[in-house]
Amino acid sequence: MDKCIITFLPDNKKVVVDRGTSLLSAALTAHIHLNSSCGGDGVCGKCRVLVKSGKVHAEPSGRIAPQDRNAGVYLACQTLAESDLTVEIFPESRLDLSALSREELALRLRGIYAPAEDIQEAKPGLTQEVFAFRPLVEKFHFELPAPDFNDKLSDLERVCRAVQEKIGDAPLHTGLANLRKLGELLRTSSWSVTVAVAAKGPVYEILAIEPGDSSQKNFGLVFDIGTTTITGQLVDLTHKKVLGTKATYNRQATFGSDIITRIIYAQAADGLEKLHHAVVDVLNEMAESFIEEHDVDLNDVTCVCVSGNTTMIHLLLRIDPSHIRQAPYVPTANYIPAIRAAEAGLKINPHGVLYCLPGVSSYVGGDITAGVLSCEIFKSKDLELLIDIGTNGEIVLGNNEWLISCAASAGPAFEGSGMACGLRAVRGAIQAVHVDPESLDVAYTTIGGDKPRGICGSGYIDLVMQLLRAGVVDKNGKLNREKAHSRLRPSSAGYEFVVVSGPQAGLDNDIVVTDADLDNFKRAKAAIYSAVSLLVRHMELKAGDIRRVFVAGGFGTSLNVESAVFIGLIPDLPRERYVFVGNSSLAGAREVLLSRDAAQACDRIAGNITYFELSTDAAYMDEYMAALFFPHTDAGRFPSVKY
Amino acid sequence: MDKCIITFLPDNKKVVVDRGTSLLSAALTAHIHLNSSCGGDGVCGKCRVLVKSGKVHAEPSGRIAPQDRNAGVYLACQTLAESDLTVEIFPESRLDLSALSREELALRLRGIYAPAEDIQEAKPGLTQEVFAFRPLVEKFHFELPAPDFNDKLSDLERVCRAVQEKIGDAPLHTGLANLRKLGELLRTSSWSVTVAVAAKGPVYEILAIEPGDSSQKNFGLVFDIGTTTITGQLVDLTHKKVLGTKATYNRQATFGSDIITRIIYAQAADGLEKLHHAVVDVLNEMAESFIEEHDVDLNDVTCVCVSGNTTMIHLLLRIDPSHIRQAPYVPTANYIPAIRAAEAGLKINPHGVLYCLPGVSSYVGGDITAGVLSCEIFKSKDLELLIDIGTNGEIVLGNNEWLISCAASAGPAFEGSGMACGLRAVRGAIQAVHVDPESLDVAYTTIGGDKPRGICGSGYIDLVMQLLRAGVVDKNGKLNREKAHSRLRPSSAGYEFVVVSGPQAGLDNDIVVTDADLDNFKRAKAAIYSAVSLLVRHMELKAGDIRRVFVAGGFGTSLNVESAVFIGLIPDLPRERYVFVGNSSLAGAREVLLSRDAAQACDRIAGNITYFELSTDAAYMDEYMAALFFPHTDAGRFPSVKY
């Protein structure tokens, strides 16, 4: 087979590939990761490159404007090499940072892992502190008594005696590395040492023994690993303080946008390796970025607490996830024992610990357990509901006596992915929209008040509701072609509505919502609503019995409950029953990081949640089909919605 | 400085060293380990080499017969290079096996690690089974139920559920390596798997999960690491059976014969590394030899249980031992947490566990705890005494209410080291001696009935007693120069008594006992006796209060209690109170390997033994000086001894 030499700029990396290889694949061969959140389907338009010389074959793409196409811009995933090529990668298309110098890296990381203080985690009406503050890893400073002939305890037992005065008589383990240098360390530090102790279930482990008093330097990381978005925080474990929050795309999106695509990819040669490294790299880079900004020593980061869906946790740990998608959908593990973070490739203190929050099943993971923990449903006398809207939608219904859960495949629409102008909930994302029913003038607010760059989940929910009410979109989710207005126009992919014009936004392209977007969106909301509906029915309850609904997810910071009910995403309950808890997964992981009591509660919760399998329930498809309208085929379910 | 090129044969290894470097040191530089149990002091005579060409400088040595010296035989440790040299290493001088081919290695290992079934471990009068048979690592075979929609437990939880039906509800941990392959493993093995589970204190760990039923293939190793001798056993953990026993010298002897010398050596550059590897190599080679002989797969060896004095354990684990010899003599650890054997460099199953029996202090180690365990002193209502005679002599006095211990530096005489014709208790060692008081004819028995090669500890005890009674040796331990007999003759190092003539033994040299030997021996026995005496006095008891004395140690298989009392090694008690338990350290380690109850008991014993420091006790030197006679300065202490 013919070979082509592809030269990637600005790295000037050359690779030899078979003729007909996609540029996305060639870039990967050159160890250049491109942003490709649709998994190479040509949908997301994120992997734009400039072909500077040579011949390629590419199908036309609606993602590339004609003038760009003429200038040589292509989607790497849809473009095949036909000859030797010189290809320039746009900075925004690039995920891979390994080629950068340290200074450049620091700068880039700041850009990619933008601060995300705006991640909402309100728990209105909930008690402020449920669990005692006792981080999973604690550092204690001791001025140990030096041994003498009346106190001849060995060095290790001397340290253990001091630690056990703090933690009680629990068994205390430690590794050989700490022992090997202990005698010298204690004596050169004049018996003044700091001991880092990790709780591992009923056992404690001495992670590190350091000279002097470093007890004020103890930090932890929490990550919520979503299929589309990864959010992280750096937490000061001594002072119980969140130092920073960042979010970014999950780089695994290069290999597929949803869980199933990634599980399939994991079965290819090196697939699991690549998916593993994709997420570990993000975590390590985010950690790097945090410690640079906050002047923290990596060795003082002693603990990482991760919540995520079951597949994400498997991939993080490089555990084969293939059985998750094979009936009866059994994962390798729901409970992951506490392990060394280094075992998973995480670069913190070499003895630092990685805790993964326990999951319930293949499709209800530790992120949901975390949500139940942080929303305190497990303590409630009243019936409560948690809806976590991500690429999958997970639902938990219950109270302090029972908990039942299910998972619905919603797709990434609510995370701003797979939509023409979708954006995750970052600065510049349109988060709230008002459309004047007469003039169709659009008013909006963006996260951070920046110029609009796209639309996040909450923005879409508002937008669809407003367009429904204005008659621009019909109950089937189609743009009304009869409505003559300059904002409505045909496009290569059907019809589209211009939300913000390019010039107004300072962008090359207009910010639009398309027929395809609306179809995506409708199916996403139907998946969520029908799952809630079925779960309630299964328990022989009525939606009205639910006293409180926690809505979690990465859709944005200011979800409008009226809009969400109006489009039929959530049940038509009295509005005061709704609580928007934002990233409850991250909040739960942080509670675990900060309290071993919370960690124990989390284990109990995971054990107590019953999993309800939607895929084998005949009624689910009926419910889903009935929900493929705005708000619903059965208007009686949404009495408050009128338009 | 001038350089010399030394070529070692038969390896044909060349090294460049400074002129004036000893051949022992040059050999080490060439990674050739020589047998040098005196630590290079020119005393043991074990490092003989043949200088074939070149010029050396060497002080005359009594260890080299004049005709050998003329032929070019030297002690490597006492011989300095003066020019380029060609040096041939005698096979018996060599410790290092790394240059050998696999076949040669197997052959050599069989020679070096001779079977030692003759190691005595009798426990007359003791109950046969004290602890329930539950090995520290167990293998369970399960035919797991395959998951279905009614039993959707994750793979790991499915395994854990089965294991916990066997071990109870104890916390169960496992590492990432086992998780990574678990899903595939369970399914390709049709859910028929064998799980290796290790007890680690109150927690259990899944070490390995294997396809099919390998539950019958579970083996453990026990080692007693003595300063001079290392003894090991391969144990079938399924069938509770010792498959083989082997013993050899501790190769660390190359770097010094006693604990203090080795601790000093450990402080030199690479010293700790070398001592560590010296012992680890012996353990690995002995393991290799065992598994070859018994056709065992190394991966089926799941557990190693080691007892040894505190310094030996530190060196095994490469923990700096330097503080053991600095007041107040505090080791880094008496309790070593269970670790992976691989962490210490031991080559068994990569997830296999290493347990080190807990010690009491720097000079009363896990070997003594093991002895108290196997002799069951901790259960006795009567006052009992354990004397473990090795390079150090350790004493434990007590009963089921209290236990007190001390350590006396005896030197290696009782292990057959540092004596002109000393031999450890192996085949061909003279173990019992009768000397006709008139004719001075010597009758003897050897271990295994082989031709005599030297004298082991029990042989020396008999010999000295017999020579005392025959008037050949006086109460001061001097050979009687007035006694005219062909067996008595002057030698380069004073006077000597010929036990067996060379021709009779089939050796080049006669087997003799010298004035220097007797002096060594007297000081060794005085160190032991005075320690026992002082400990009894310290507790305000009398020797006669001791109802049972357990005598342990590597001195041989048939210690004659009459002889031992006669020479003043042990108190003059009714003979039926003495029990010779041989290697009680190895026996204790094996009990721990075979029973987690024993492991727990061992921890408690170590915690309950009080350590009595002889070195800071003024009365000890008085006791010691008074014991430097045969049997003792105070003859009233030995009323039954008359000569």
Side-chain angles (χ1 to χ4, degrees):
Chain A
M1 188 179 277
D2 282 2
K3 299 285 181 184
C4 304
I5 302 169
I6 322 264
T7 306
F8 286 103
L9 301 178
D11 312 61
N12 202 30
K13 278 192 182 170
K14 288 179 200 299
V15 285
V16 178
V17 297
D18 292 335
R19 180 193 295 270
T21 300
S22 81
L23 301 189
L24 181 65
S25 173
L28 270 176
T29 307
H31 299 289
I32 298 171
H33 285 257
L34 297 184
N35 202 336
S36 168
S37 58
C38 67
D41 286 344
V43 175
C44 72
K46 302 263 166 71
C47 60
R48 288 152 52 107
V49 294
L50 179 65
V51 177
K52 300 189 88 167
S53 74
K55 194 175 157 213
V56 296
H57 172 79
E59 297 294 331
S61 166
R63 301 285 157 189
I64 309 281
Q67 69 275 25
D68 285 347
R69 172 69 176 264
N70 292 338
V73 175
Y74 291 87
L75 293 184
C77 69
Q78 298 298 302
T79 306
L80 313 179
E82 290 287 311
S83 73
D84 294 351
L85 300 174
T86 303
V87 177
E88 173 142 14
I89 296 165
F90 296 115
E92 64 272 22
S93 300
R94 180 189 289 271
L95 279 176
D96 188 58
L97 306 167
S98 57
L100 300 178
S101 74
R102 189 153 180 87
E103 290 69 29
E104 288 172 318
L105 178 65
L107 210 66
R108 281 295 292 278
L109 289 174
R110 275 194 204 108
I112 291 181
Y113 304 109
E117 277 81 18
D118 35 21
I119 288 178
Q120 193 184 17
E121 286 180 39
K123 298 207 294 180
L126 300 181
T127 46
Q128 271 309 296
E129 180 146 22
V130 183
F131 299 109
F133 173 57
R134 281 198 67 192
L136 287 178
V137 177
E138 289 183 279
K139 279 191 180 181
F140 303 109
H141 173 245
F142 300 112
E143 301 277 355
L144 297 172
D148 58 36
F149 280 106
N150 296 316
D151 176 14
K152 292 190 58 176
L153 223 50
S154 76
D155 295 348
L156 178 61
E157 290 163 87
R158 189 169 301 272
V159 169
C160 289
R161 176 177 64 183
V163 171
Q164 283 172 329
E165 279 169 17
K166 297 281 185 183
I167 63 163
D169 261 348
L172 196 52
H173 197 270
T174 193
L176 205 42
N178 287 323
L179 281 183
R180 282 182 172 153
K181 57 179 186 182
L182 183 60
E184 181 77 8
L185 173 70
L186 290 175
R187 286 160 184 87
T188 54
S189 66
S190 306
W191 305 91
S192 167
V193 290
T194 300
V195 184
V197 182
K200 289 185 163 181
V203 182
Y204 288 75
E205 184 182 338
I206 293 178
L207 297 186
I209 306 171
E210 298 163 346
D213 183 358
S214 56
S215 63
Q216 302 296 303
K217 292 182 176 173
N218 188 22
F219 302 90
L221 290 163
V222 282
F223 292 105
D224 166 51
I225 304 181
T227 309
T228 304
T229 304
I230 296 178
T231 313
Q233 290 186 323
L234 177 67
V235 182
D236 182 331
L237 297 181
T238 313
H239 305 100
K240 198 186 169 186
K241 192 179 167 212
V242 175
L243 298 180
T245 306
K246 290 171 190 285
T248 189
Y249 283 115
N250 186 337
R251 204 170 295 170
Q252 289 174 339
T254 312
F255 309 105
S257 64
D258 58 28
I259 284 171
I260 298 302
T261 327
R262 291 194 205 159
I263 294 176
I264 293 168
Y265 188 84
Q267 288 170 267
D270 292 337
L272 181 55
E273 278 298 315
K274 285 179 184 169
L275 288 163
H276 167 69
H277 285 294
V279 64
V280 166
D281 287 354
V282 168
L283 267 48
N284 281 333
E285 286 162 14
M286 207 186 278
E288 180 101 1
S289 177
F290 273 132
I291 66 159
E292 285 216 2
E293 275 174 37
H294 298 279
D295 199 22
V296 165
D297 188 318
L298 211 52
N299 270 311
D300 292 330
V301 180
T302 56
C303 188
V304 178
C305 221
V306 171
S307 61
N309 64 57
T310 306
T311 302
M312 290 304 110
I313 298 298
H314 278 56
L315 295 178
L316 171 67
L317 301 175
R318 202 156 51 74
I319 299 173
D320 172 17
S322 56
H323 307 289
I324 288 178
R325 64 177 272 270
Q326 291 163 12
Y329 315 117
V330 170
T332 290
N334 287 313
Y335 287 82
I336 307 287
I339 59 168
R340 285 205 178 174
E343 271 194 87
L346 296 178
K347 293 174 188 163
I348 59 166
N349 181 301
H351 298 127
V353 182
L354 169 63
Y355 294 85
C356 296
L357 270 68
V360 175
S361 71
S362 278
Y363 295 101
V364 174
D367 50 347
I368 302 309
T369 313
V372 173
L373 179 80
S374 66
C375 296
E376 297 171 29
I377 300 176
F378 69 105
K379 295 176 66 187
S380 168
K381 287 182 186 167
D382 294 328
L383 186 66
E384 299 190 335
L385 180 73
L386 170 68
I387 309 179
D388 190 333
I389 301 173
T391 310
N392 269 17
E394 294 99 347
I395 323 284
V396 182
L397 181 70
N399 54 34
N400 59 4
E401 293 183 351
W402 56 269
L403 293 159
I404 188 166
S405 68
C406 69
S409 181
F414 292 115
E415 295 189 280
S417 196
M419 308 287 274
C421 298
L423 206 61
R424 64 191 163 83
V426 293
R427 285 177 179 273
I430 294 174
Q431 61 176 342
V433 179
H434 178 83
V435 180
D436 186 282
E438 301 304 320
S439 67
L440 300 191
D441 283 353
V442 178
Y444 56 85
T445 63
T446 64
I447 296 176
D450 291 13
K451 281 216 164 192
R453 297 196 290 128
I455 308 170
C456 72
S458 64
Y460 277 114
I461 291 168
D462 258 11
L463 181 63
V464 173
M465 182 273 203
Q466 299 281 328
L467 294 180
L468 282 166
R469 208 176 46 182
V472 175
V473 169
D474 66 18
K475 294 191 177 195
N476 279 304
K478 288 280 169 208
L479 285 163
N480 187 345
R481 282 145 175 78
E482 329 253 290
K483 196 123 187 166
H485 192 280
S486 61
R487 287 185 181 266
L488 268 165
R489 65 189 186 199
S491 77
S492 60
Y495 236 65
E496 63 188 25
F497 177 84
V498 179
V499 183
V500 187
S501 75
Q504 195 186 339
L507 298 170
D508 290 345
N509 301 313
D510 298 335
I511 297 174
V512 299
V513 60
T514 68
D515 271 338
D517 290 345
L518 289 163
D519 199 49
N520 259 344
F521 190 80
K522 184 178 71 177
R523 284 189 271 118
K525 81 95 191 170
I528 303 289
Y529 176 81
S530 54
V532 172
S533 180
L534 188 68
L535 210 55
V536 170
R537 219 172 95 185
H538 175 77
M539 295 308 294
E540 298 180 351
L541 295 165
K542 291 198 177 69
D545 298 330
I546 304 168
R547 308 312 295 175
R548 182 142 41 181
V549 182
F550 299 98
V551 184
F555 41 72
T557 56
S558 59
L559 184 70
N560 185 323
V561 63
E562 282 302 330
S563 299
V565 171
F566 198 99
I567 65 167
L569 170 62
I570 54 178
D572 190 357
L573 298 177
R575 305 304 186 253
E576 69 276 12
R577 296 192 190 174
Y578 280 98
V579 184
F580 294 98
V581 290
N583 195 332
S584 64
S585 167
L586 190 73
R590 197 179 56 241
E591 287 193 49
V592 167
L593 177 71
L594 290 171
S595 170
R596 52 197 64 172
D597 294 345
Q600 284 171 14
C602 202
D603 282 354
R604 283 195 302 273
I605 291 168
N608 289 341
I609 298 179
T610 305
Y611 178 69
F612 180 74
E613 181 68 56
L614 290 183
S615 71
T616 54
D617 193 276
Y620 182 59
M621 192 45 77
D622 298 340
E623 281 281 353
Y624 175 71
M625 296 303 288
L628 284 174
F629 288 85
F630 293 114
H632 196 271
T633 311
D634 175 7
R637 295 206 192 183
F638 289 83
S640 78
V641 176
K642 310 233 185 295
Y643 66 99
Chain B
M1 188 178 278
D2 282 1
K3 298 286 181 185
C4 304
I5 302 169
I6 322 267
T7 307
F8 287 104
L9 301 178
D11 312 61
N12 202 29
K13 278 191 181 169
K14 289 180 199 296
V15 284
V16 179
V17 297
D18 292 335
R19 180 193 296 268
T21 300
S22 81
L23 301 189
L24 181 66
S25 172
L28 270 176
T29 307
H31 299 290
I32 298 170
H33 285 258
L34 296 185
N35 201 336
S36 169
S37 59
C38 67
D41 287 343
V43 174
C44 72
K46 302 264 167 68
C47 59
R48 287 152 53 107
V49 295
L50 179 65
V51 177
K52 301 189 87 167
S53 73
K55 193 177 157 208
V56 296
H57 172 79
E59 296 295 333
S61 166
R63 301 285 158 189
I64 308 282
Q67 70 275 23
D68 285 349
R69 172 70 176 265
N70 293 339
V73 175
Y74 290 86
L75 293 185
C77 69
Q78 299 297 302
T79 305
L80 312 179
E82 291 288 309
S83 73
D84 294 351
L85 300 174
T86 303
V87 177
E88 173 141 13
I89 295 166
F90 294 114
E92 64 270 23
S93 301
R94 180 189 289 271
L95 280 175
D96 190 57
L97 305 168
S98 57
L100 300 179
S101 75
R102 187 152 182 88
E103 290 69 29
E104 288 172 316
L105 178 65
L107 210 66
R108 282 293 292 276
L109 289 174
R110 275 195 203 107
I112 292 181
Y113 305 108
E117 276 79 20
D118 35 20
I119 288 177
Q120 192 184 17
E121 286 179 35
K123 298 204 295 180
L126 300 181
T127 46
Q128 272 308 297
E129 180 145 21
V130 183
F131 299 107
F133 174 57
R134 280 197 69 192
L136 287 178
V137 176
E138 288 182 280
K139 280 192 179 179
F140 303 108
H141 173 244
F142 300 112
E143 300 276 354
L144 297 172
D148 59 35
F149 282 106
N150 296 316
D151 176 14
K152 291 190 59 174
L153 223 48
S154 77
D155 295 347
L156 177 62
E157 290 163 87
R158 188 167 303 272
V159 170
C160 289
R161 176 176 65 182
V163 171
Q164 283 172 328
E165 278 169 17
K166 298 283 185 183
I167 63 162
D169 261 349
L172 195 54
H173 197 269
T174 194
L176 204 43
N178 286 323
L179 281 183
R180 283 180 173 155
K181 56 180 185 180
L182 182 60
E184 181 78 6
L185 173 70
L186 290 174
R187 286 161 184 86
T188 55
S189 66
S190 307
W191 304 91
S192 166
V193 289
T194 301
V195 183
V197 182
K200 290 185 163 181
V203 182
Y204 288 75
E205 184 181 339
I206 293 178
L207 297 186
I209 306 171
E210 299 163 346
D213 183 357
S214 56
S215 63
Q216 302 296 302
K217 292 183 178 173
N218 189 21
F219 302 90
L221 290 164
V222 282
F223 292 105
D224 166 51
I225 304 181
T227 309
T228 304
T229 304
I230 296 178
T231 313
Q233 291 186 321
L234 177 66
V235 183
D236 183 330
L237 297 180
T238 313
H239 305 100
K240 197 185 170 185
K241 193 179 166 211
V242 175
L243 299 181
T245 305
K246 288 171 191 283
T248 190
Y249 283 115
N250 185 335
R251 203 170 296 170
Q252 289 175 338
T254 311
F255 310 105
S257 64
D258 59 27
I259 285 171
I260 298 302
T261 326
R262 292 195 204 158
I263 294 175
I264 293 168
Y265 188 84
Q267 288 169 265
D270 291 337
L272 180 56
E273 278 298 315
K274 284 180 184 168
L275 288 163
H276 167 69
H277 284 294
V279 64
V280 166
D281 286 354
V282 169
L283 267 47
N284 281 333
E285 286 163 15
M286 208 187 276
E288 180 101 3
S289 178
F290 273 131
I291 67 158
E292 285 216 3
E293 274 173 38
H294 298 278
D295 199 22
V296 165
D297 188 318
L298 211 52
N299 270 311
D300 293 329
V301 181
T302 55
C303 188
V304 178
C305 222
V306 171
S307 60
N309 65 56
T310 306
T311 302
M312 290 304 109
I313 298 299
H314 276 57
L315 295 178
L316 171 67
L317 302 174
R318 202 157 51 75
I319 298 172
D320 172 17
S322 56
H323 307 290
I324 289 178
R325 63 177 273 270
Q326 291 163 12
Y329 315 117
V330 170
T332 291
N334 286 313
Y335 287 84
I336 307 287
I339 59 169
R340 286 205 177 173
E343 272 194 84
L346 296 178
K347 293 173 186 163
I348 60 166
N349 181 302
H351 298 126
V353 182
L354 169 63
Y355 294 85
C356 296
L357 270 68
V360 175
S361 71
S362 278
Y363 294 101
V364 174
D367 49 348
I368 303 309
T369 313
V372 173
L373 180 79
S374 66
C375 296
E376 298 171 28
I377 300 178
F378 70 105
K379 295 176 66 187
S380 169
K381 287 182 186 165
D382 294 327
L383 186 66
E384 298 190 336
L385 180 73
L386 171 67
I387 310 178
D388 191 334
I389 301 173
T391 310
N392 269 17
E394 294 98 346
I395 323 285
V396 182
L397 182 70
N399 54 33
N400 60 4
E401 292 184 350
W402 56 269
L403 292 160
I404 187 165
S405 67
C406 68
S409 181
F414 291 115
E415 294 189 280
S417 196
M419 308 287 273
C421 298
L423 206 61
R424 64 191 163 83
V426 294
R427 284 177 180 271
I430 294 175
Q431 61 175 342
V433 179
H434 178 81
V435 179
D436 185 281
E438 300 304 319
S439 66
L440 301 191
D441 283 354
V442 178
Y444 57 86
T445 63
T446 63
I447 296 177
D450 291 13
K451 282 215 164 194
R453 297 196 290 128
I455 309 169
C456 72
S458 66
Y460 277 114
I461 291 168
D462 258 10
L463 181 63
V464 174
M465 182 272 202
Q466 299 280 329
L467 294 180
L468 281 166
R469 210 177 43 180
V472 175
V473 170
D474 67 15
K475 293 192 177 196
N476 278 306
K478 288 282 168 208
L479 284 163
N480 186 345
R481 282 148 174 77
E482 328 254 294
K483 194 122 186 165
H485 192 282
S486 62
R487 287 185 182 265
L488 268 163
R489 67 191 184 197
S491 77
S492 59
Y495 236 63
E496 63 188 23
F497 176 85
V498 178
V499 183
V500 186
S501 74
Q504 195 186 340
L507 297 170
D508 290 343
N509 301 313
D510 299 335
I511 296 175
V512 299
V513 60
T514 68
D515 271 340
D517 288 347
L518 289 163
D519 199 49
N520 258 344
F521 190 79
K522 185 178 69 178
R523 284 188 270 117
K525 82 96 193 171
I528 303 289
Y529 177 80
S530 54
V532 172
S533 181
L534 188 67
L535 210 54
V536 171
R537 219 172 96 184
H538 176 77
M539 296 307 294
E540 300 181 349
L541 295 164
K542 292 198 176 69
D545 296 332
I546 304 170
R547 308 312 295 174
R548 184 142 40 181
V549 182
F550 299 98
V551 184
F555 43 71
T557 58
S558 59
L559 185 70
N560 184 324
V561 63
E562 283 302 331
S563 300
V565 171
F566 198 100
I567 65 167
L569 170 62
I570 54 179
D572 190 356
L573 298 177
R575 306 303 186 254
E576 69 275 11
R577 296 192 190 174
Y578 280 98
V579 184
F580 294 98
V581 291
N583 195 332
S584 62
S585 166
L586 190 72
R590 196 179 56 239
E591 288 194 50
V592 167
L593 177 71
L594 289 171
S595 171
R596 52 196 65 172
D597 294 345
Q600 284 171 14
C602 202
D603 282 354
R604 284 194 302 272
I605 291 168
N608 289 342
I609 298 179
T610 305
Y611 178 68
F612 180 74
E613 180 69 55
L614 290 184
S615 71
T616 54
D617 192 274
Y620 182 58
M621 192 46 76
D622 297 340
E623 281 280 354
Y624 176 70
M625 296 303 289
L628 284 174
F629 288 85
F630 291 115
H632 197 273
T633 311
D634 176 7
R637 294 207 194 182
F638 289 83
S640 78
V641 176
K642 310 233 184 294
Y643 66 102

